[in-house]
Amino acid sequence: MSDDTFGTVPPGERVSAGAPRLRATSITISTPRPHEAARFYARLLGGRITALDEAAPDDPDGITWAQVQPLPGEVGMTINLEHERVWSPPVWPARPGEQRSTQHLDVQVDDLPAAVAWALECGAREASPQPQDDVRVMLDPDGHPFCLFL
C-alpha cells in the first residue's frame, strides 16, 4: 500500500479519475419496532420524524418503516428504521454464538455525563463493560449499541 493511500483528497477532487461522486447520507437500522425506535432517536438526537409508514392491511407480518431526519438547517444523517420480523437483539461486546451488532452510531457530545443522563432519560441503558473514559457505549431500547463520545 502506498503512503498516499491514506492521504487527504483536496475538496472537489476525486480519489480516482472518473469515479462518480458518492455521499453516504443515511443509515438503516433493523428493529422489531420502527415507530418506537424513531421516537427514541428523534428525541435523543433532537431530530424530526419524517415518516411513520403503517403496515398494509393485507400484510400478515405487520411490516412498518420510519425515518428520522435532522431539523431543518441542522447537519446530521438520516436514520431509517426498518421492521425486522425475525429479531434477536445484538450482544455487546460480541460473544461467540450470539447475535452481533454489525454497525453502531457514534454520537459526538460536548458534555459526556449530561449526554449519558439524557440518553438514559430517553430510554437507553448503559452497556457493560465501558471501554474508555471519554466514550460511553449505550444501548437503545431494542439493544442496538451506540457510542457517546467527546
Side-chain angles (χ1 to χ4, degrees), residues 47-122:
R48 62 190 173 123
I49 297 173
T50 55
L52 286 175
D53 291 352
E54 295 296 333
D58 60 346
D59 181 357
D61 294 323
I63 293 175
T64 57
W65 183 82
Q67 184 177 73
V68 176
Q69 293 183 340
L71 294 174
E74 296 287 324
V75 176
M77 74 168 46
T78 295
I79 300 174
N80 299 310
L81 299 136
E82 180 177 74
H83 180 259
E84 177 59 58
R85 185 175 58 83
V86 180
W87 175 253
S88 294
V91 174
W92 191 93
R95 292 190 295 265
E98 303 223 22
Q99 180 66 37
R100 291 185 174 102
S101 177
T102 59
Q103 77 284 320
H104 68 268
L105 298 177
D106 287 329
V107 180
Q108 187 173 20
V109 303
D110 295 330
D111 180 334
L112 191 55
V116 168
W118 175 245
L120 293 170
E121 185 176 320
C122 289

